[in-house]
Amino acid sequence: MMVYLSATPPKELLQKVRKGQITLSKLYQRFHGHPLPEPHCHLLFKEIDFLGINPRLRLKLNQVVSSHQRLMIFFSSIPVMEKFAQKLKRYYPTLSFVSVSSLDKERLEKVQRFREHRVQVILTTTILERGVTFKRVMVLVLNADAKEFSKTSLIQIAGRAGRDKKYFDDEVHFYYRYYNRQIRQACKEIEYLNQQVKK
């Protein structure tokens, strides 16, 4: 017998369930028994690289920097992340941060630096959407409406927050220009899973 644990089973497994080839048992609780953080959704009228103008995003970043809150920021692509990193360095010169992607040969070392609190912020693509656990970390997804983010990946990314039993209420924020299907479905799925936990 094989047991596969996932909050977001892939389409291939769900197809086998529908065909009766395998059975599915749902576990609604997270490993520490608390619900998933429900994303706060923010409409942005401009693209990300206008960090200097967008008040909603700047307000959140100002709060993070001043409070020394640890932060993960997810991007749809490496070029967008690199452009944002330049802006971040310009507007917050004292902020310690690293950028990681699938092309980064030093990403494991950088992730470890973040884990050890040697940097406050980590910028990343979907390379870190699953499989990593950090304590006490806020999560932001920029351009959450980009095609690179699926419903599944958005749920997985939201799951990077609140992974500590003592601090399970970390914030998750989705920033986007269009409230599209993938964002709506991800938010509904998280809300549904949390309702099951409360029953």
Side-chain angles (χ1 to χ4, degrees):
M1 181 180 73
M2 180 180 290
V3 177
Y4 182 92
L5 296 177
S6 175
T8 52
K11 291 180 181 179
E12 296 77 20
L13 280 182
L14 293 176
Q15 288 174 352
K16 289 182 178 181
V17 170
R18 284 192 286 271
K19 292 177 181 178
Q21 297 174 347
I22 60 173
T23 58
L24 175 68
S25 297
K26 293 187 177 182
L27 299 174
Y28 295 105
Q29 281 190 328
R30 303 183 87 185
F31 63 95
H32 51 47
H34 296 289
L36 270 166
E38 296 189 11
H40 301 272
C41 294
H42 308 277
L43 174 66
L44 299 183
F45 294 103
K46 305 286 187 181
E47 290 288 358
I48 289 176
D49 60 354
F50 290 16
L51 174 62
I53 297 175
N54 193 287
R56 282 189 172 185
L57 187 53
R58 280 299 297 278
L59 178 61
K60 180 53 64 178
L61 290 172
N62 289 343
Q63 291 171 351
V64 167
V65 172
S66 62
S67 67
H68 303 287
Q69 166 74 51
R70 296 205 312 143
L71 175 67
M72 294 184 78
I73 308 180
F74 285 84
F75 297 86
S76 57
S77 70
I78 295 172
V80 173
M81 181 176 70
E82 290 175 343
K83 187 181 291 186
F84 186 89
Q86 293 173 0
K87 293 282 186 178
L88 201 60
K89 190 178 296 185
R90 175 184 171 189
Y91 287 102
Y92 303 98
T94 62
L95 180 67
S96 59
F97 70 92
V98 292
S99 304
V100 300
S101 71
S102 59
L103 301 180
D104 189 350
K105 294 180 180 178
E106 299 178 356
R107 69 178 179 273
L108 295 179
E109 188 272 334
K110 290 178 178 178
V111 167
Q112 189 60 27
R113 285 170 60 193
F114 183 71
R115 191 183 306 282
E116 294 174 356
H117 296 242
R118 287 189 281 154
V119 293
Q120 184 182 349
V121 177
I122 187 166
L123 313 182
T124 181
T125 56
T126 55
I127 188 74
L128 296 185
E129 75 178 49
R130 64 173 75 207
V132 292
T133 294
F134 304 112
K135 294 182 179 181
R136 210 69 179 122
V137 59
M138 183 188 297
V139 171
L140 270 60
V141 183
L142 302 188
N143 278 3
D145 53 338
K147 65 181 187 305
E148 289 84 358
F149 292 120
S150 64
K151 177 196 83 167
T152 298
S153 66
L154 289 174
I155 295 172
Q156 287 286 355
I157 288 170
R160 297 311 94 208
R163 298 186 69 80
D164 187 284
K165 188 173 183 178
K166 293 181 180 178
Y167 306 105
F168 57 87
D169 57 348
D170 294 327
E171 294 180 12
V172 176
H173 297 268
F174 290 169
Y175 290 88
Y176 52 84
R177 294 184 71 192
Y178 304 101
Y179 187 77
N180 62 6
R181 182 178 180 184
Q182 68 222 31
I183 297 172
R184 182 174 65 255
Q185 288 182 340
C187 292
K188 282 189 174 181
E189 181 77 7
I190 291 170
E191 184 180 357
Y192 170 77
L193 292 171
N194 289 343
Q195 287 174 350
Q196 305 310 306
V197 172
K198 295 173 185 176
K199 287 183 177 180

